[in-house]
Amino acid sequence: MAKWGQGDPRWIVEEREDGTNVNNWHWTERDATSWSKGKLRELLVGIAVENETGHCEVSELKQVEGEASCSSRKGKLIFFYEWNIKLGWKGIIKESGAKHKGLIEIPSLSEENEVDDTEVNVSIKKGDGDILKDLMKTAGTAKVREALGDYLEALKTEFTMGMILPTKAMATQELTVKRKLSENTLQTSSPVALGVRIPTVALHMTELFDTAVEQLYRIFTVKDLVQKFSKSPAVLEAEKGGKFQMFDGNITGEYIELLTNKKIVMKWRCRNWPEEHYATVALNFVPTLGQTELQLDCKGVPVCKEENIKFCWQKQHFEEIKGLLQLTTLNG
């Protein structure tokens, strides 16, 4: 008989609240199709390139067909994805002011090929816009491939959080994340005044939630609830001057002001923004009859990231929080 603490780890039952899939031995599978479509839109739409002759940007995701999934077996993750993507782009020739539109087609993004080998075809609809087409075929294609690489990285990290369940050997991981976060010195004053100078816009969004203001406030300030709606690890110090990190480090910042059940003000940034640039996000919680209205004001968003940030708040925050509230109600 094996001594305590020894033996085949497949049969060792650790002290876990859920008591499921101990040591990640059993086969699990998760459909990543819907999540992938949102992530691809977030990363691809808004890509911009520019040179002395013109400016181009990816304006819309016209088509995304295919599927993606992730399976876990014996503690290992197996990925499957196959996508046919069609993007719309638009550009302007600086000297003449002429505007042109075109398409970017990615016929086969799959695990069978490296991102750098993925076929990216650029076309222009009509007119004498070859200089813009050339810009998109060179710098534009490079940025598109970079975004595809970011998608695959997110698929393998952000999406898979929770598929490999934590064991005792992983217990120190959270402390390591906290330590790394505390070592990072965040910008301590106005993000627009002291950050890098780039063109920015302000966003205003409102959303109604079928819950009391106290519960909605907790969802934004309690670590376990943040991890549930974001489906990824989070580090939160919900106090003035406290740091936060969400979505596997893709969102970071610092709390500037917290008025319980009324208001949260944060310095807030995405990982792919220019270094040291932060937006200021204010969340106002307004109670209504049986609901809570959340008023979001975000100042200092890079112009090229406006649509991405709208998508981030609408899809990855508001809709996920509503899903969590619905699940909580059903379980309650």
Side-chain angles (χ1 to χ4, degrees):
M1 179 180 293
K3 295 181 180 180
W4 179 261
Q6 298 180 357
D8 192 330
R10 291 176 293 179
W11 316 119
I12 298 175
V13 179
E14 296 191 3
E15 295 176 357
R16 293 181 46 81
E17 291 181 0
D18 55 9
T20 60
N21 204 12
V22 176
N23 284 308
N24 309 292
W25 183 252
H26 302 295
W27 179 277
T28 59
E29 185 173 358
R30 184 183 295 178
D31 185 3
T33 302
S34 179
W35 176 89
S36 292
K37 289 180 178 180
K39 179 59 69 172
L40 287 166
R41 182 185 300 277
E42 173 191 341
L43 293 170
L44 291 168
V45 176
I47 287 176
V49 290
E50 186 173 0
N51 61 14
E52 65 279 1
T53 60
H55 172 91
C56 299
E57 66 177 67
V58 176
S59 55
E60 61 179 319
L61 179 61
K62 287 181 169 290
Q63 171 186 299
V64 53
E65 295 181 344
E67 59 182 323
S69 64
C70 178
S71 302
S72 171
R73 176 71 167 116
K74 301 181 183 179
K76 295 182 180 180
L77 294 174
I78 304 166
F79 298 92
F80 168 81
Y81 53 91
E82 187 170 6
W83 295 107
N84 183 342
I85 303 168
K86 185 180 294 184
L87 305 164
W89 66 270
K90 60 184 180 180
I92 182 170
I93 299 175
K94 292 182 178 180
E95 184 176 354
S96 65
K99 297 180 180 179
H100 296 275
K101 294 182 178 181
L103 295 175
I104 299 174
E105 296 180 87
I106 306 164
S108 180
L109 173 66
S110 75
E111 75 281 357
E112 296 179 358
N113 301 307
E114 297 292 334
V115 171
D116 290 342
D117 298 327
T118 299
E119 183 179 354
V120 180
N121 300 318
V122 178
S123 61
I124 193 167
K125 287 191 174 181
K126 60 180 179 179
D128 186 19
D130 286 346
I131 56 176
L132 296 179
K133 179 182 177 181
D134 291 341
L135 176 59
M136 287 303 292
K137 287 182 69 173
T138 52
T141 294
K143 283 206 169 186
V144 165
R145 286 200 174 106
E146 180 181 346
L148 296 177
D150 291 341
Y151 156 69
L152 297 181
E153 178 65 23
L155 177 64
K156 296 174 182 179
T157 54
E158 177 183 328
F159 177 78
T160 57
M161 288 299 174
M163 291 193 70
I164 300 297
L165 301 176
T167 62
K168 289 180 179 178
M170 299 167 64
T172 59
Q173 182 176 0
E174 183 180 325
L175 294 176
T176 302
V177 173
K178 285 185 177 181
R179 193 175 298 115
K180 287 182 179 179
L181 181 62
S182 65
E183 290 172 355
N184 293 331
T185 303
L186 296 177
Q187 182 178 324
T188 57
S189 59
S190 170
V192 177
L194 295 182
V196 295
R197 292 182 177 273
I198 60 173
T200 63
V201 294
L203 304 179
H204 177 74
M205 302 173 69
T206 60
E207 193 77 16
L208 278 174
F209 294 87
D210 294 326
T211 190
V213 65
E214 294 83 2
Q215 176 67 0
L216 187 59
Y217 184 87
R218 290 183 70 245
I219 287 177
F220 281 95
T221 54
V222 175
K223 173 184 167 183
D224 288 345
L225 296 176
V226 170
Q227 292 185 147
K228 284 182 179 179
F229 86 74
S230 67
K231 298 181 176 68
S232 61
V235 176
L236 268 77
E237 301 167 6
E239 59 186 24
K240 184 176 181 180
K243 310 294 192 300
F244 63 84
Q245 176 175 293
M246 301 169 55
F247 295 103
D248 196 35
N250 286 300
I251 302 295
T252 56
E254 180 180 324
Y255 293 102
I256 298 174
E257 180 182 6
L258 295 100
L259 298 177
T260 304
N261 301 331
K262 293 182 179 180
K263 186 177 185 179
I264 300 173
V265 182
M266 304 170 281
K267 286 181 5 181
W268 189 98
R269 65 171 272 110
C270 292
R271 176 183 287 169
N272 61 358
W273 284 10
E275 189 175 355
E276 296 302 316
H277 181 80
Y278 289 83
T280 300
V281 171
L283 300 174
N284 288 282
F285 301 80
V286 182
T288 62
L289 289 176
Q291 295 179 309
T292 300
E293 180 181 83
L294 181 65
Q295 300 174 350
L296 164 71
D297 288 289
C298 188
K299 299 178 181 179
V301 175
V303 171
C304 63
K305 300 297 182 180
E306 179 179 1
E307 293 304 317
N308 290 351
I309 299 308
K310 287 180 181 178
F311 180 89
C312 172
W313 280 100
Q314 187 63 48
K315 298 294 184 181
Q316 297 178 306
H317 287 75
F318 299 162
E319 292 187 12
E320 293 294 339
I321 288 172
K322 287 183 177 181
L324 174 61
L325 288 170
Q326 186 178 25
L327 182 63
T328 302
T329 301
L330 291 175
N331 291 340

